[in-house]
Every structure is written in structure tokens, then in C-alpha cells.
Amino acid sequence: MCLGIPGKIVHIVDHELQLGMVDVGGIQREVNLSCVAEDDQKLESYLDEWVLVHVGFAMSVIDEDEAQATLGVLNELGEMQEELTAMREGAS
Amino acid sequence: MKYVDEFRDPEKAKILINEIEALAETLHSRWQRPIRIMEVCGGHTHSIFRYGIENLLPESIELIHGPGCPVCVLPMGRVDDCVQIAERPEVIFTTFGDAMRVPGSKKSLLEAKANGADVRMVYSPMDALSLARKNPDREVVFFGLGFETTMPSTALTILQAEAEGITNFSLFCNHITIIPTVKAVLDSPDMQLDGFLGPGHVSMVIGNDPYAFIATHYHKPVVVAGFEPLDILQSLWMVLKQLESDEAKIENQYSRIVPEGGNDVALQAIGKVFRLREFFEWRGLGSIDHSGVQLTDAYLAYDAETKFNVKSIAVADPKSCQCGEVLKGVIKPWDCKVFGKACTPETPMGALMVSSEGACAAYYQYGDLKKLNVRLEVEEEVAVA
Ligand code: SF4
């Protein structure tokens, strides 16, 4: 919940609601991009960017190295699986 | 150094450890007492244990595990309130998984669910809102938890509910705010701290400015830190450097994630939806002024406490629990009489045993259990004698 998890924005779902589809460890889920999207930038320009996702909200744009390093830490803390399970089961 | 070789850059780690040792020696001979540094964030606590960082540090450095695990500081009375709301037949009660097993005075949410309450785990408050959309004849309540890291997501979800005119959605708000909490720690007479590792992801939202008073008013260094073992070592080194030169300032080791000014969109959403509570009850710490938030009057229609007329009753922690002392760093987890016996991750009595970010669970999972065993042996001998 507090550590967040890195994911890659794969497509834009809803411009008005600022929702994007983010791939996190092979699981795709809708993520709210409003905290990272700067008003004057088209959401499309965020395609393929990595973001740090906290409970369904992208809170920070990160580079790929940072994303991989963070994924490593989460794996070692044993939080990766927990987070992915929560994500998968989230809306059911 | 059994873990260092696993680090991303073992050479750098070794250099940092050497420098930390040298600085600690200087400070220790100057002060003739241990150097006490608090990591405020539960994520740091978890990382420190996982990577055995305490074992890498000289004995003169004591890490105090702060109150920064939002699940761990939930008081029992609030869990009772959750259960009470969740047991209403019209309610779908949604929560992050972490909070399911926190014990209330009678039961946890998990037990309420087993008894038939409609409690559902969600990953995001947005999932809770979509349940409200799909179930217009039910009342969906979201159990909002966490410091400023998760506060924006709740705020933005409330704004979304308002925009869509969804009225069967409400928030049971237990969000807490970091600055009054740190201030309470600093003002607590039984705490003597020399510096802080600042919480990385909270700072990503609020920026670094809010910590300024810790340096100016209390003259203690703060280094906002990342979560990798190298981040933590480097941040500790930065704190020690400041202490050595008798400086106190706010430094940002985690600038790759933490912008100086925080996140505007997130702060605006928080400012619109939330205001400070006069006080909030913490497990083990008692009441801390202004440490929690609640919905502003304009959003009261989304407040589950108002909607379901919840009268929060403070419930005392069980006598045998010493969570408060552990939270304040006055005792170590294994000094608590029920640690590892009546209180384990499977059967938690205190909240610090529930979440993997809680100090007790971390000690139990990775800690040096030798020390616990020594205590148990002593107790046995006493009992036999
Ligand atoms: S061992 Fe259990 S009761 Fe004791 S301080 Fe830790 S969580 Fe609280």
C-alpha cells in the first residue's frame, strides 16, 4: 500500500477521467493518471512511460532503471506477489 | 557482512558502511552515548530488516522504528467501528487487504466477514467506487487508510463520486497526517532522537518544506530516503555527516522520486476534500492533536461516520500489549511479554504484529530471535526457581 509498484503505461483508456491501462508485472489494470499528467501535455505522450502506482493512482513518473530496481526490492520484500494478487482480485 | 554481496552495488555499500563506522565512532566518543536515528516509515522498517541493515551498523547506532505504519497504529475502537458498519445488511464494506486482520476488541474484519458481513478486499478506492456504481441498491463504504501517500487517491475518488453524482458511496476516514505525528514524537519526553530518515513516498506528495521545522525548531537533521538498502545506508551516512558537523537541515536523498515542492494535483485534491481533525486516537500512543483528517463540510455526504451515525468509543489496548512503548522506541519488540508467545503474525494481539511493515512482525520474521530466546530462558529459570 505504501511502497507502491512500478508499471508501464500501455494505452490510454479515458481522456476525460485521465485513466490509462498500466502493465504491472504482466497484469494490466486501469490506473488514474491525473497526478502525473501535466495539464498541457497530451496523455498520449505518456505512453510507454514507467510510473510508480499507489493503490491505483500513478504518483510519479520514473525511468526504467528505477522501475527495475524498485521491482527488485519489492520482490525481495515479498510484497510483489501480495500487491499483484490484490490488483488482480481488486475489482471482483 | 552476510547481505552486502546481494546489494545492487556491494562496493559502494562497503564504502558507505566504513564511512558510517568512522562517523559513528567520532560521534560516540564525543557524546558517550548511542546515536539514535528514527526511520519514520514502515516501508523503511521492512527494508531495514529484510536486508539485515541493523547487523551492518556499528553498535553505537540505534535505529528506532517509528510510527509510520498506518495499519499498525489503528486503534481497536476504530476497528470496532468498522465492524459495526460492515455488519449492517445494506453495506458492502471495502478495505485494503492489510487491514483485514487487525484485531478489534471483539473481532477483526476478517472474522466479521466469516460471520456473514459483506466485507470485500479492494486494491484501490476506485474499485470501491465501481462497486457502488454496480450496486446502486447497496451502500458501499471504503475504509480509507494511510498517510499522505494514499490520501490523494481517496480524495480524487471522492471528487469522482461527486462528479458522477454517486450517492451510495462513503468513506470511513482513518487517514493520518505525518507532520503532527513527527512533532508528537519530538515532543514526547521519553524519546531522545538525534535525527530522522524521512518517509520517501509521503514526501513525494507533500515535498520537503513541511519538515523544515524539525531542523529549525528542534535542530535535528532529516534525510528523505528511498527504500533500497543502498538508499538507506546513504541516508544514514548523510544524517551522520550532518550530526558530525553539528548541522541540522532537510536533505533529499530520494530526489529521483521526491520533487522539492511535492505533487500539486495531489495536494490540491487533499486540500479540497479534507481538513484536520482536532485530534485522532493512535494505537499505543493515545490521542495526538491534529494528526488525522476528516472530510470537509462540503463533502460530509460522503462521510460514513455521519451517514451511519458512528459514535467512536475509545477502547483501551489489552494490558499485556506494549505496542505504544515499541512504537516510541522505548522498548524493543522482544521486550514485550507476549512477543512470539501469545502475539505472533498468525495470532496478532497488537497491530504491530499484523502488517509486514510493523516492527514486531519484522522482528519476528527477520529479527535476531536469539535475544528473545535468552529472555525466555531467563523467564523459565525464574519460573522454575
Ligand atoms: S508483541 Fe504484540 S502486543 Fe507486544 S508490542 Fe508487539 S504487537 Fe504489541
Side-chain angles (χ1 to χ4, degrees):
Chain A
M1 169 172 92
C2 303
L3 286 181
I5 191 164
K8 193 177 191 170
I9 302 176
V10 290
H11 65 92
I12 303 302
V13 178
D14 187 322
H15 281 84
E16 203 191 327
L17 298 179
Q18 300 194 294
L19 292 178
M21 191 60 79
V22 171
D23 185 298
V24 182
I27 293 176
Q28 301 216 340
R29 89 150 266 155
E30 270 178 25
V31 163
N32 183 306
L33 303 177
S34 55
C35 289
V36 293
E38 286 173 29
D39 286 345
D40 48 357
Q41 281 206 47
K42 280 225 179 72
L43 279 180
E44 267 69 23
S45 66
Y46 289 94
L47 281 177
D48 289 335
E49 292 271 11
W50 286 86
V51 284
L52 194 56
V53 182
H54 286 264
V55 298
F57 289 71
M59 297 303 297
S60 182
V61 177
I62 55 182
D63 63 29
E64 178 155 10
D65 283 351
E66 176 66 18
Q68 296 304 348
T70 307
L71 286 170
V73 173
L74 290 175
N75 242 326
E76 287 176 337
L77 291 181
E79 292 200 359
M80 192 70 186
Q81 224 30 54
E82 226 171 87
E83 194 88 345
L84 291 181
T85 311
M87 237 177 229
R88 204 179 302 120
E89 294 173 355
S92 61
Chain B
M1 291 191 195
K2 65 178 180 208
Y3 290 111
V4 178
D5 293 330
E6 290 176 23
F7 289 4
R8 203 156 37 131
D9 186 346
E11 282 317 307
K12 192 170 169 199
K14 283 175 192 158
I15 294 172
L16 279 168
I17 292 164
N18 286 338
E19 293 203 17
I20 287 173
E21 274 171 5
L23 285 164
E25 204 178 303
T26 312
L27 288 167
H28 187 249
S29 60
R30 199 185 292 169
W31 296 345
Q32 294 295 315
R33 61 165 179 81
I35 304 137
R36 309 186 84 209
I37 300 172
M38 173 178 274
E39 88 275 3
V40 179
C41 168
H44 285 147
T45 306
H46 192 177
S47 200
I48 284 168
F49 279 98
R50 166 61 182 85
Y51 292 102
I53 288 181
E54 286 194 312
N55 304 331
L56 303 175
L57 299 176
E59 276 188 9
S60 54
I61 298 182
E62 238 182 86
L63 295 181
I64 311 293
H65 315 299
C69 160
V71 178
C72 305
V73 297
L74 256 188
M76 268 204 208
R78 293 301 275 185
V79 180
D80 291 351
D81 295 343
C82 283
V83 170
Q84 197 194 325
I85 299 174
E87 285 178 337
R88 298 173 71 103
E90 75 274 30
V91 165
I92 300 177
F93 194 90
T94 60
T95 173
F96 296 138
D98 312 37
M100 288 290 271
R101 289 185 312 123
V102 183
S105 68
K106 292 186 196 71
K107 48 183 137 172
S108 65
L109 280 169
L110 194 62
E111 288 159 333
K113 184 181 166 79
N115 294 343
D118 194 348
V119 179
R120 305 192 197 179
M121 274 202 259
V122 288
Y123 165 68
S124 163
M126 287 208 300
D127 299 340
L129 187 61
S130 75
L131 276 170
R133 239 180 249 125
K134 282 186 219 146
N135 297 277
D137 53 334
R138 302 284 299 276
E139 279 291 336
V140 176
V141 181
F142 174 67
F143 185 16
L145 265 183
F147 283 100
E148 278 85 346
T149 317
T150 52
M151 221 185 264
S153 58
T154 307
L156 288 162
T157 304
I158 298 278
L159 292 172
Q160 180 64 29
E162 182 193 34
E164 289 181 49
I166 297 177
T167 56
N168 64 326
F169 175 77
S170 59
L171 166 70
F172 182 55
C173 184
N174 289 272
H175 283 294
I176 42 187
T177 173
I178 197 81
I179 295 299
T181 307
V182 174
K183 191 167 178 309
V185 162
L186 281 161
D187 288 335
S188 168
D190 39 32
M191 293 203 110
Q192 201 197 35
L193 297 170
D194 299 305
F196 291 90
L197 297 189
H201 290 147
V202 167
S203 310
M204 160 187 85
V205 173
I206 67 173
N208 294 325
D209 291 347
Y211 304 114
F213 76 100
I214 304 175
T216 51
H217 193 70
Y218 293 88
H219 202 71
K220 313 261 186 221
V222 178
V223 176
V224 172
F227 297 90
E228 277 192 73
L230 275 181
D231 289 331
I232 293 175
L233 286 176
Q234 190 179 13
S235 303
L236 284 169
W237 173 76
M238 288 164 80
V239 170
L240 294 169
K241 280 293 257 190
Q242 287 197 43
L243 290 172
E244 188 215 22
S245 53
D246 199 23
E247 275 183 299
K249 53 188 180 189
I250 314 303
E251 290 184 292
N252 186 0
Q253 185 273 338
Y254 201 31
S255 58
R256 57 190 200 271
I257 298 285
V258 175
E260 286 301 311
N263 185 307
D264 279 340
V265 177
L267 287 173
Q268 269 172 28
I270 291 175
K272 199 162 174 190
V273 170
F274 294 122
R275 67 182 164 92
L276 292 180
R277 289 178 194 261
E278 264 175 58
F279 58 87
F280 196 69
E281 218 22 66
W282 291 60
R283 164 123 23 183
L285 296 178
S287 167
I288 302 180
D289 285 354
H290 306 302
S291 62
V293 298
Q294 64 189 57
L295 291 164
T296 53
D297 288 346
Y299 292 93
L300 269 191
Y302 296 99
D303 181 39
E305 280 172 82
T306 311
K307 204 173 207 174
F308 302 107
N309 196 17
V310 174
K311 297 199 180 44
S312 261
I313 300 168
V315 182
D317 291 330
K319 279 212 181 63
S320 46
C321 286
Q322 291 181 281
C323 304
E325 280 129 296
V326 173
L327 274 173
K328 286 196 270 189
V330 179
I331 64 169
K332 294 284 178 195
W334 59 66
D335 298 323
C336 173
K337 290 205 180 53
V338 291
F339 177 89
K341 296 199 285 184
C343 188
T344 66
E346 284 69 44
T347 55
M349 284 177 70
L352 292 174
M353 204 45 113
V354 176
S355 156
S356 54
E357 295 183 0
C360 292
Y363 269 74
Y364 191 86
Q365 198 181 351
Y366 307 110
D368 187 353
L369 291 180
K370 261 190 302 206
K371 291 185 185 154
L372 169 68
N373 291 334
V374 169
R375 199 204 76 205
L376 292 182
E377 275 164 27
V378 171
E379 276 181 9
E380 256 166 46
E381 277 166 25
V382 172
V384 171

